[in-house]
Amino acid sequence: MVALAGEINFAMLNVQIRKQFRSNGTQPFALDVAISFAPGFTVLFGPSGSGKSTLLDCIAGLQRPDSGEIRLGEIKFFDAAGNLSLPPQRRELAYVFQSLALFPHLSVEQNIRYGLDKLPASEQSERAQNIAKTFRIGNLISRRPAELSGGEKQRVALARALVTRPRVLLLDEPLTGLDSALRRSILEDLHAWNEANRIPILYVTHNREEVDAIGERVVTLANGRVQESGAPRVVLDAPRSVELAHAAGFENVLPAVVVEHRSADGVMRVSLDRAACELEIPLGDAEPGSEVRIAIRAGDILVATEAPHFLSARNVLPGTIESVETRGTMVALRVKAGSIFHVHVTPGAVRTLDLSPGLLVWLAIKTHSCHLVR
């Protein structure tokens, strides 16, 4: 699914499609999106089953939508009204899957050159050598995949996809299983390549760290529909749905009931789990009496061993530590404070405050660390 495009068209990728899925005994699912992708990185982010991979498959021509249009600039990939659907090989794009699918019997150079068979041998070699240098695998071109590390295989897969100079690059969780330092290094090389080429790159991931490393634009999907788009730290730090809150790494998603609005202050009060425990949160569109969910990051909750005074944080909740669990450089606390709260602190804080199960503590939570989700 690649093309030997001589000149790259810096065009917008416009997608307006609907595809319905039905399966016996399961809930019907429909992918229904209308969105444009500019040259550069766009991360597709959302929970499993939200439609991210299906969207890539429709763009690639591996699945045919029921209606709508897919267009790169003035070039139509798919047009239901005109009964047009270009086959994958004519869409001039590259698709890198999580499995990579390198040919085990071919060398690195032969893998990279695989899609260049229509070019003269000298040009094939030149392109392969150049892209191998770009992704820092120039010294590996004679090796076979079995002799490569996981990160080296990922670089070969990206080099093979980009050596054909595609007009669009689709990446479906290509760096799964790599450690954070290696992921960041590969993403830096991909960024550098795209600075020179500027094509639309759609990148599917469940990893928030990858989203922040890419850092251009994120589009969130849930239940087959686009929820929000924009800068990662704006979109994912204030999710609007329960599914996206979980996907974005919010450890606390708590059931609550709206108690009252305080419009003059721009806040409202909610009761957690119908208990006496209440929180002040930013004013939302839920009416008093409505059942809602409140998302709070575990790292946004402060812990005190004495009742704090004169704080800007409006929510101070007494509670008891139920468990303390060390997870690498972070310690996870489970605290019963009306509701169960998951709190992350440093090992140093645990030692200094002598935090242990059964200890009475106070949780301090800023109003704007509480997010209303549906």
Side-chain angles (χ1 to χ4, degrees), residues 56 135 138 227 360:
L56 293 195
F135 285 93
Q227 302 292 302
L360 175 64

Side-chain angles (χ1 to χ4, degrees), residues 7-8 17 37 47 51 85 95 125-126 134 136 160 168 188 207 213 232 251 261 266 283 285 289 297 313 337-338 365:
E7 297 294 332
I8 296 177
I17 58 171
F37 300 99
S85 183
Y95 199 159
S125 179
E126 181 182 359
T134 298
R136 292 187 270 187
R160 183 178 65 179
V168 178
E188 287 174 358
N207 189 302
E251 296 85 357
H261 285 188
L283 188 64
D285 59 0
R297 289 192 184 279
I365 310 170

Side-chain angles (χ1 to χ4, degrees), residues 6 20 64 93 99 124 130 136 162 208 252 288 310 316 346 355 374:
Q20 182 84 26
R64 183 183 178 115
L93 53 79
S99 63
Q124 290 184 33
N130 288 339
R136 292 187 270 187
L162 297 176
R208 175 61 192 273
N252 300 286
F310 309 111
V316 178
T346 65
L355 302 179
R374 300 300 183 97

